[in-house]
Amino acid sequence: MESHLYEVAIIGAGFSGIGLAIKLKNEGICDFVILEKANEVGGTWRENTYPGAACDVKSHLYSFSFEPNSNWSRVFSQQKEILDYLIACTNRSDLRSQIRFGWVVQKMVFDEHRQCWCVHGANGAIIEARHLVLATGPLHIPNWPGIKGLQQFGGEKFHSSQWNHDYSLNGKRIAVIGTGASAIQFVPEIQPLAKQLFLFQRTAPWVIPKPDGMISGWKKKLYEQIPLVRRVYRNSIYWMNEIQVLGFTSQRFWLRLAEKLVINHLRRHIKDEALLSKVTPKYAMGCKRILLSNNYYPALQQPNVEVVTNAIKEITAHSIVTEDGTDIPVDVIICGTGFHVTDSFQFADISGRGGRSLTDVWQNGAEAYLGTMVHGFPNLFFMIGPNTGLGHNSMVYMIESQIALILDCIRKLRMKQSSTIEVRMEIQEAFNRDLDKKAVGTVWNSGCVSWYLNEHGRSAAIWPDFTFRYKKLTKNANESDYIWTA
Ligand code: NAP
């Protein structure tokens, strides 16, 4: 065990962890350590290297407000450019010496006597810190489909977030399971390589055109030389996205209008009636994440692609068998089946006050205060915790709001000379019941099955309101909401 007691330990060096570390340093809080399981920073943007991986939020907004970049090459950046941006942010703030790479966290235990967190690593090491921040993100535990026989499949198989770049897809019979945000990006990229591509679709997604393109040199120069222009552009993206909340919540007719436009667009571009019927969504737009692509539908219309809508019954050594008995021989199965989202924190072994495990506390579903703190777990902060996800705007905005809250908590702890902060149970409870009320009548609760809902059907992932309201709530830690221990 290290003898040093850090002020803050951050787990994960993705957008959340790096952003928090930069702001801690700016605040003069330099006694922190970042524990990162991989050998580089970047989180989801390091792990997801599948062909075509890109962001569906415009780059000038999908970046830190305090680390602006005038040189984004595209309106919607691709994975490599976002990863490079995070690496550059890390290097500029000289964070590398504070990151322990290859450090896999096994369990986290709150030591009540010493009022600190003990973080146990898979390497047997223990790191202690007064504050612990879980910046692990919700998109890092692959959701493998529980399909009978998948394990026994004799060909190649991988998950979209663990892409096997050593395996050549050239001339192969490829099965893709899932038609979510990742699959609609990689299917158009691998379709030209495939001998045949079978796309197993359970639910047709809403896919709208992506207003993408290169950003011209003169615009980059303008952003660089007149930062106000860049800020105005960033704000305009934010407000154009933010206004959509009305359609998701109180004024659903806007989404119904958008649905009509998208269906017309589909009808104009897909001439094959059978395919059109397969890919026409059957649920309210926005209930699952709305996807952006210009090349997904063109790819589906290529002669080597078949969209299979019959449910998968089982997988044999060399084929996929559907419920109607059709046996489809394939060489490789690629699972674009998403991640464990609402239950992602349950994969971590966390014990709070009284040795109570987080898994026990969350057995009826994950709930937190402002998606950041949980009663019974003093000095523990979740980033992108329950009910902080978005279907319409930039997650970096939510991350920055959480950073402000965490910093203010630490600031006030120092000021009050308290050793722990813990949200009051009744405050956490009232906050979540209010979220439940807000979720009623929203599109996310309109009947589709999505990872926005937990296994009890509660909307546990989405922030069901304007994001500027979240920012306002997280600007300062309201002292009476917490128990402060001397
Ligand atoms: P996803 O959007 O959750 O999609 C998973 C897909 O797999 C869905 O089509 C789902 O069908 C299907 N599926 C899941 N289990 C299945 C099973 N047992 N049998 C058959 N089909 C199954 O996952 P993702 O595409 O990996 O994306 C995850 C999240 O990552 C996104 O929602 C987004 O937040 C993020 N992402 C973001 C970007 C970006 O540009 N910012 C890009 C990629 C990913 P059902 O719809 O029927 O459940």
Side-chain angles (χ1 to χ4, degrees):
M1 182 179 354
E2 279 188 30
S3 55
H4 186 71
L5 175 67
Y6 288 95
E7 181 149 15
V8 186
I10 303 169
I11 301 177
F15 251 109
S16 306
I18 294 300
L20 176 63
I22 293 171
K23 290 301 251 182
L24 281 171
K25 253 190 146 167
N26 291 350
E27 183 95 6
I29 304 170
C30 297
D31 185 21
F32 64 84
V33 63
I34 305 177
L35 307 175
E36 167 55 55
K37 66 178 176 182
N39 293 318
E40 184 50 282
V41 302
T44 195
W45 295 105
R46 180 202 58 241
E47 290 193 5
N48 284 276
T49 60
Y50 61 77
C55 190
D56 55 14
V57 177
K58 292 182 179 171
S59 317
H60 274 270
L61 185 62
Y62 195 80
S63 43
F64 297 122
S65 61
F66 47 85
E67 282 283 352
N69 174 18
S70 301
N71 283 317
W72 289 114
S73 68
R74 305 187 66 86
V75 177
F76 294 89
S77 292
Q78 291 172 344
Q79 172 260 340
K80 175 77 169 63
E81 195 169 0
I82 302 173
L83 178 60
D84 287 347
Y85 167 79
L86 284 171
I87 291 174
C89 291
T90 306
N91 295 343
R92 241 190 322 273
S93 290
D94 200 12
L95 297 177
R96 282 191 185 272
S97 58
Q98 282 166 278
I99 306 176
R100 305 284 175 87
F101 288 108
W103 217 96
V104 179
V105 172
Q106 234 168 23
K107 65 175 178 175
M108 292 147 272
V109 182
F110 184 64
D111 181 332
E112 273 183 76
H113 179 61
R114 297 178 51 230
Q115 305 209 314
C116 69
W117 281 92
C118 303
V119 185
H120 298 248
N123 54 2
I126 300 173
I127 279 183
E128 293 186 324
R130 290 168 63 76
H131 309 288
L132 179 61
V133 182
L134 279 176
T136 44
L139 301 176
H140 68 118
I141 303 162
N143 172 40
W144 283 92
I147 299 170
K148 185 178 156 202
L150 178 61
Q151 294 314 319
Q152 282 71 48
F153 179 66
E156 177 65 19
K157 60 172 182 287
F158 52 86
H159 188 272
S160 59
S161 66
Q162 297 164 340
W163 199 271
N164 182 357
H165 292 277
D166 294 333
Y167 181 82
S168 168
L169 294 168
N170 259 319
K172 299 283 168 41
R173 292 170 63 91
I174 305 171
V176 172
I177 304 179
T179 51
S182 304
I184 66 127
Q185 293 184 337
F186 68 74
V187 162
E189 302 295 323
I190 63 173
Q191 169 272 319
L193 307 175
K195 180 176 180 198
Q196 197 138 24
L197 193 154
F198 301 95
L199 179 59
F200 290 85
Q201 173 192 276
R202 194 164 64 176
T203 315
W206 283 98
V207 184
I208 62 172
K210 189 173 189 177
D212 198 7
M214 301 301 284
I215 297 180
S216 58
W218 70 265
K219 277 192 186 160
K220 289 184 204 166
K221 250 191 212 134
L222 184 68
Y223 297 147
E224 183 67 45
Q225 284 168 8
I226 314 179
L228 178 66
V229 177
R230 191 186 54 223
R231 278 202 295 276
V232 169
Y233 176 49
R234 181 183 168 100
N235 286 341
S236 70
I237 304 170
Y238 171 77
W239 286 107
M240 289 297 286
N241 288 347
E242 193 64 359
I243 197 103
Q244 295 171 27
V245 171
L246 292 173
F248 288 102
T249 54
S250 57
Q251 298 176 20
R252 301 252 309 269
F253 60 89
W254 287 114
L255 276 177
R256 286 195 278 274
L257 184 68
E259 281 180 9
K260 288 205 175 96
L261 294 174
V262 177
I263 297 286
N264 282 342
H265 172 84
L266 268 180
R267 287 203 181 114
R268 271 200 311 278
H269 288 88
I270 301 181
K271 298 293 168 213
D272 177 341
E273 282 297 325
L275 179 62
L276 180 64
S277 153
K278 281 180 184 175
V279 300
T280 302
K282 313 278 186 307
Y283 62 91
M285 186 180 199
C287 187
K288 289 169 186 267
R289 193 178 175 90
I290 300 171
L291 310 180
L292 275 66
S293 174
N294 299 326
N295 54 7
Y296 178 63
Y297 292 128
L300 299 194
Q301 294 178 78
Q302 298 309 309
N304 65 340
V305 178
E306 187 182 332
V307 178
V308 183
T309 50
N310 285 319
I312 300 174
K313 184 176 165 213
E314 62 174 327
I315 295 174
T316 69
H318 299 288
S319 66
I320 295 186
V321 184
T322 53
E323 286 291 354
D324 64 350
T326 312
D327 186 285
I328 304 171
V330 291
D331 302 309
V332 49
I333 297 177
I334 306 175
C335 293
T337 42
F339 300 87
H340 287 272
V341 178
T342 49
D343 58 345
S344 69
F345 288 113
Q346 313 229 15
F347 286 81
D349 185 351
I350 305 175
S351 306
R353 210 164 21 79
R356 199 107 196 260
S357 89
L358 185 70
T359 318
D360 279 352
V361 173
W362 279 355
Q363 58 186 318
N364 294 322
E367 286 190 357
Y369 179 52
L370 295 169
T372 314
M373 281 169 273
V374 178
H375 178 74
F377 296 81
N379 293 11
L380 177 64
F381 302 93
F382 295 86
M383 295 197 72
I384 321 188
N387 290 107
T388 56
L390 300 178
H392 71 290
N393 217 334
S394 171
M395 276 314 294
V396 181
Y397 185 91
M398 299 300 273
I399 288 170
E400 287 194 24
S401 303
Q402 288 193 295
I403 291 174
L405 178 64
I406 296 170
L407 284 182
D408 200 49
C409 287
I410 297 177
R411 221 177 274 136
K412 288 195 168 121
L413 273 163
R414 282 178 159 197
M415 240 162 48
K416 289 169 160 290
Q417 298 193 332
S418 299
S419 53
T420 63
I421 176 176
E422 181 180 344
V423 61
R424 293 181 186 280
M425 189 60 200
E426 66 276 17
I427 296 288
Q428 181 181 318
E429 195 51 35
F431 173 78
N432 280 282
R433 299 302 65 86
D434 188 46
L435 285 184
D436 290 345
K437 271 192 220 142
K438 284 202 169 106
V440 175
T442 64
V443 72
W444 304 295
N445 272 17
S446 63
C448 75
V449 177
S450 79
W451 56 258
Y452 293 163
L453 308 177
N454 66 16
E455 67 272 33
H456 308 285
R458 177 176 181 265
S459 178
I462 282 280
W463 173 250
D465 202 343
F466 288 104
T467 57
F468 57 80
R469 291 220 175 107
Y470 183 75
K471 185 177 181 176
K472 192 168 167 226
L473 288 171
T474 49
K475 200 166 176 201
N476 296 303
N478 186 5
E479 294 190 29
S480 59
D481 290 352
Y482 305 97
I483 305 159
W484 306 81
T485 318

